[in-house]
Amino acid sequence: MTIDRFDLLTTAPAEPFADAKRRLAAAVEANRDEIVGLSQRIHADPEPAFEEIHASAWVAETIARHGFAVEHPVGSLATAVRGRLAGGQGGGRPRIGILAEYDALPGLGHGCGHNSMAASGVGAAIALATLAPELPGEIVFLGTPAEERGSGKGIMIRDGLFADLDAALLYHPSDVTGVECRLLASEDIYVTFHGEQAHAASDPWMGRNALDALILLFSSVGLWRQQLRPDARVHGIVREGGTAANIIPSRAKAWFMVRSPREDEYLEMRDRFRQMCEAAALATGCTVEVVFEGGASTMHHNRTLDRRFVANMEAYGVEDNPPVDNLGSSDMGNVSFVVPTIHPSIAICDPGVPGHSIEFRDLAAAPRADEVTLLAATLVAQTAYELFADPALVEAAWKEFRGDA
Ligand SMILES: [Zn+2]
Ligand SMILES: [Zn+2]
């Protein structure tokens, strides 16, 4: 299904609160140029995890212009943003979080389309701001750095920035549309082998080769894969493998990731990986440092909120699809264990375009992605509105979250 442009002004939104939802859609449409412009600007200036200096500043400026009280930075991350806007109906609860990622991939750019996500989150916040006088509670916009590496949201959780929220909403661009997002538990692993330098021709017996240790580790991982479940993942790159062919390398570095859809299996994989590092060091007479960082968890689904998002989406002719098997990881998983969370994907292109590719990167700035950005802003705002307007929905989401639904 290819839709060139969603008609945000004339399409009848899903009940309940269809009239307010229509006004939200109109507010997104009225701010079209600002929202799409932001997506394009972020796309053209890709900044990797923790370095989203321009993107976070642009996001902060934009929501400040629309009435949000902005903290930038907020918490311990220099590129994190929080914008708050109290509703005109007495403040208090609920506090609904609208999230935006804006990091890019090193050497690739916005191959995950976070430019579209950032602009849609800002668009949803702008639209909700126009209705703030009639809302209770508080609209909480969170600009969340470092999704691709380092689990920025995990750090923001430790900074207390999710502590008082009642829901966390965002959208992710994809090649397929589906509200259910299965996530793999995942972690970055930085491995450094230390050996002993020596002349590789005149006295190699004096050396201990750190690169050999690293090659052994890659071999062990390759053999390990035949005993892993099909949905487990382990993959890595060499970051440093020596400085010259005639020097036995004294240091070699790799960056790996280990992932699994089951937390218990993931913990086993983590232990096994560490043992392989130690075995490779032992075999080569080297030492090894293994640093685990930026853990992302699996997804704690909230079907109550998922269903509301799907109803809102289907009103615009976009159908939900069952989850696909090409799983990834996200620090949104960490958020999903703190507060009721949704992580829906909407297709910005035809199915089959791989994420984290040049093709997907280019499509993330194409006209179809811009239209999906505006639609996603509308749907996130509409789903947030339902939470503001219906205390029973907030309660139902928390009930399901606690497991007593
Ligand atoms: Zn992403
Ligand atoms: Zn990604």
Side-chain angles (χ1 to χ4, degrees):
M1 178 184 59
T2 305
I3 292 180
D4 290 321
R5 191 158 174 161
F6 303 97
D7 199 337
L8 298 178
L9 293 179
T10 60
T11 303
E15 292 289 352
F17 315 118
D19 175 59
K21 288 176 182 174
R22 195 190 303 273
R23 287 185 286 143
L24 289 167
V28 169
E29 188 59 54
N31 291 283
R32 159 182 286 271
D33 292 347
E34 194 171 18
I35 297 166
V36 168
L38 181 64
S39 177
Q40 292 291 337
R41 249 196 308 173
I42 294 175
H43 191 273
D45 185 3
E47 300 166 301
F50 302 111
E51 296 171 29
E52 310 93 331
I53 313 282
H54 296 146
S56 61
W58 294 334
V59 159
E61 282 160 24
T62 309
I63 58 165
R65 251 197 319 275
H66 288 269
F68 282 79
V70 174
E71 297 157 88
H72 176 223
V74 65
S76 59
L77 294 178
T79 53
V81 176
R82 177 163 66 178
R84 288 188 286 183
L85 181 58
Q89 301 299 312
R93 306 302 277 244
R95 295 192 184 93
I96 306 303
I98 310 294
L99 273 53
E101 298 165 6
Y102 31 64
D103 60 330
L105 290 150
L108 177 59
H110 276 289
C112 210
H114 293 178
N115 58 301
S116 167
M117 184 203 290
S120 74
V122 167
I126 290 174
L128 285 164
T130 64
L131 269 61
E134 59 197 78
L135 300 179
E138 190 173 51
I139 310 161
V140 182
F141 173 91
L142 288 173
T144 62
E147 188 278 334
E148 296 291 356
R149 176 181 75 80
S151 281
K153 294 186 197 66
I155 297 167
M156 291 178 76
I157 289 168
R158 290 196 287 282
D159 288 341
L161 295 168
F162 287 87
D164 59 356
L165 293 186
D166 288 295
L169 315 177
L170 55 61
Y171 122 90
H172 200 298
S174 176
D175 67 323
V176 286
T177 297
V179 72
E180 181 174 335
C181 169
R182 293 188 191 155
L183 295 175
L184 303 170
S186 148
E187 209 160 2
D188 295 300
I189 313 172
Y190 300 100
V191 183
T192 307
F193 289 104
H194 297 281
E196 198 76 57
Q197 270 184 346
H199 195 298
S202 60
D203 41 17
W205 48 85
M206 304 284 285
R208 279 176 283 129
N209 194 326
L211 179 61
D212 284 355
L214 192 52
I215 290 167
L216 270 181
L217 176 61
F218 272 90
S219 302
S220 305
V221 165
L223 294 170
W224 184 29
R225 285 200 181 95
Q226 66 189 319
Q227 277 98 46
L228 289 174
R229 288 175 188 273
D231 47 13
R233 298 282 184 274
V234 49
H235 43 94
I237 59 162
V238 175
R239 296 185 111 187
E240 186 182 325
T243 53
N246 56 0
I247 306 170
I248 302 273
S250 65
R251 192 172 67 183
K253 291 182 168 189
W255 170 17
F256 273 90
M257 297 184 79
V258 167
R259 315 194 201 214
S260 165
R262 285 166 293 276
E263 296 280 350
D264 54 343
E265 182 190 57
Y266 163 71
L267 292 174
E268 274 173 37
M269 287 179 70
R270 200 176 182 276
D271 287 347
R272 188 73 182 277
F273 183 86
R274 185 191 288 279
Q275 287 164 357
M276 287 179 191
C277 295
E278 287 163 2
L282 190 65
T284 51
C286 294
T287 59
V288 66
E289 287 168 62
V290 187
V291 177
F292 291 84
E293 225 177 72
S297 60
T298 53
M299 182 81 184
H300 183 36
H301 291 287
N302 198 285
R303 314 283 178 198
T304 308
L305 296 184
D306 280 354
R307 280 194 291 273
R308 297 318 312 153
F309 189 88
V310 169
N312 290 322
M313 182 171 74
E314 286 180 345
Y316 292 88
V318 181
E319 281 168 23
D320 187 34
N321 292 289
V324 290
D325 351 319
N326 43 348
L327 302 172
S329 304
S330 170
D331 55 6
M332 204 54 181
N334 305 40
V335 175
S336 75
F337 284 91
V338 175
V339 60
T341 294
I342 58 168
H343 189 293
S345 295
I346 304 179
I348 60 161
C349 57
D350 293 334
V353 179
H356 291 195
S357 69
I358 289 172
E359 196 182 355
F360 193 84
R361 175 197 70 192
D362 294 346
L363 289 165
R368 183 171 167 188
D370 288 341
E371 297 306 317
V372 172
T373 301
L374 296 165
L375 176 72
T378 304
L379 302 178
V380 168
Q382 291 176 341
T383 307
Y385 186 92
E386 289 194 38
L387 288 157
F388 281 115
D390 182 4
L393 180 61
V394 176
E395 183 48 39
W398 275 111
K399 242 178 136 175
E400 182 185 345
F401 178 89
R402 291 190 302 261
D404 50 18

